[in-house]
Amino acid sequence: MMQNPYNVSSDPCGSSSGSAIAVATNMVAVSIGTETDGSILCPSNANSVVGIKPTVGLTSRSGVIPISPRQDTVGPICRTVADAVYVLDAIVGFDKHDYEATENARKYIPKGGYTQFLKVDGLKFKRLGIIRHPFFNFSEDSLQNLAFRQHFHTLRQKGAVLIDDLEIPNVDLILSSNEEVTVMLAEFKQSLNSYLKDLHASPVRSLADIIDFNNRFSNEEKTKEYGQEVFKLAEATNGIKEKEKEALSTLEKWSREGFEKII
């Protein structure tokens, strides 16, 4: 069980929490995390380290157990911004083993890499948006709010222009919907089955095999404690059909009318 090194009663957050904890406790100088839905950003935030979630395809996912080809990405988790940028420079680029994604994203890699942007006055005149609803769910006099105010003050002192109280028009709808899960369950089964089939040696070759393996070794795999509900829901899917396509279309529409609209 992973524990937050700053407060053992606090959630270290996310499936890359081990990477974040290792950096926070100086067990390693730098680390790598993977993210499908917050698993770099959340543990980095919770364990007071720096995480960069790259654009999908900027870094290769080859060899990484997949969940969603649309969302899976690999990025650095480090103690400082500079360390994270140096690691990012080292891991971005084209990879024939993740051809489509890295080929599409390679055009976004700046000539000369990212370290050239590590400047003392790098925040000067940069516009940063602050979205409070529904994430700032703490009181005005709370320690969290005080910490944010201090950080915002520092950003302004460094020359950043803060645009406060931005609102994503449909954020509540997005956060309460099941469309993302609908698509990801189908993608997970497809991607995982493909990944397992390509392994040179493995006792399991499909999601169905994993479910069966966990049932046969339930004590070791702690199935009573953690269950297999997500695996079973994914196994029940049958590819990207009309339901999944409709969910994808809805997600794209919400993105256009929501987050993309305010930027």
Side-chain angles (χ1 to χ4, degrees):
M1 179 68 70
M2 296 294 181
Q3 291 185 320
N4 189 308
Y6 294 103
N7 182 352
V8 295
S9 66
S10 180
D11 184 1
C13 189
S15 57
S16 293
S17 57
S19 298
I21 291 168
V23 169
T25 55
N26 282 320
M27 295 173 67
V28 296
V30 300
S31 67
I32 298 293
T34 61
E35 174 161 325
T36 304
D37 198 345
S39 293
I40 291 175
L41 299 182
C42 188
S44 297
N45 172 65
N47 296 282
S48 300
V49 291
V50 178
I52 297 178
K53 183 266 180 190
T55 297
V56 171
L58 205 62
T59 56
S60 173
R61 291 88 50 89
S62 176
V64 176
I65 297 174
I67 296 177
S68 165
R70 292 178 306 105
Q71 296 180 215
D72 291 346
T73 191
V74 176
I77 298 179
C78 306
R79 290 187 68 84
T80 69
V81 172
D83 284 350
V85 173
Y86 276 105
V87 173
L88 182 65
D89 254 354
I91 64 176
V92 297
F94 173 74
D95 180 5
K96 66 179 181 180
H97 299 295
D98 191 8
Y99 184 93
E100 184 176 355
T102 55
E103 174 64 21
N104 289 337
R106 68 194 302 183
K107 60 180 175 288
Y108 299 119
I109 302 172
K111 188 176 181 180
Y114 294 94
T115 54
Q116 63 184 300
F117 303 112
L118 286 172
K119 301 176 181 178
V120 174
D121 61 349
L123 282 172
K124 198 170 184 179
F125 303 129
K126 297 298 187 297
R127 290 163 57 86
L128 305 177
I130 301 171
I131 299 173
R132 294 181 181 268
H133 174 77
F135 308 108
F136 281 48
N137 54 355
F138 36 76
S139 64
E140 185 70 22
D141 59 350
S142 66
L143 289 175
Q144 295 100 316
N145 198 48
L146 174 61
F148 272 110
R149 287 206 305 268
Q150 290 173 337
H151 288 312
F152 294 157
H153 177 68
T154 300
L155 291 170
R156 289 189 178 99
Q157 280 189 320
K158 297 296 183 180
V161 179
L162 302 190
I163 314 300
D164 206 349
D165 283 324
L166 284 176
E167 290 189 12
I168 300 175
N170 49 12
V171 66
D172 293 315
L173 180 62
I174 293 170
L175 293 176
S176 63
S177 75
N178 291 319
E179 272 72 10
E180 182 186 25
V181 174
T182 296
V183 180
M184 283 176 58
L185 287 172
E187 290 177 329
F188 176 48
K189 179 182 177 180
Q190 284 187 328
S191 301
L192 185 65
N193 285 352
S194 177
Y195 169 86
L196 291 171
K197 286 177 183 177
D198 287 341
L199 294 179
H200 292 296
S202 174
V204 291
R205 291 293 180 182
S206 68
L207 177 57
D209 288 348
I210 291 176
I211 294 171
D212 179 64
F213 181 93
N214 290 342
N215 285 333
R216 287 188 290 113
F217 300 97
S218 58
N219 289 335
E220 293 87 346
E221 299 303 323
K222 299 184 182 296
T223 54
K224 289 183 179 179
E225 183 176 354
Y226 296 109
Q228 298 197 82
E229 189 61 27
V230 172
F231 285 179
K232 291 177 181 178
L233 288 171
E235 179 59 25
T237 64
N238 190 30
I240 306 298
K241 304 299 185 182
E242 285 307 310
K243 181 175 73 170
E244 288 78 17
K245 290 178 181 178
E246 184 178 339
L248 269 173
S249 178
T250 299
L251 289 171
E252 290 169 358
K253 177 176 180 290
W254 286 346
S255 180
R256 288 193 305 271
E257 296 176 354
F259 185 74
E260 293 177 40
K261 190 174 182 179
I262 67 173
I263 59 174

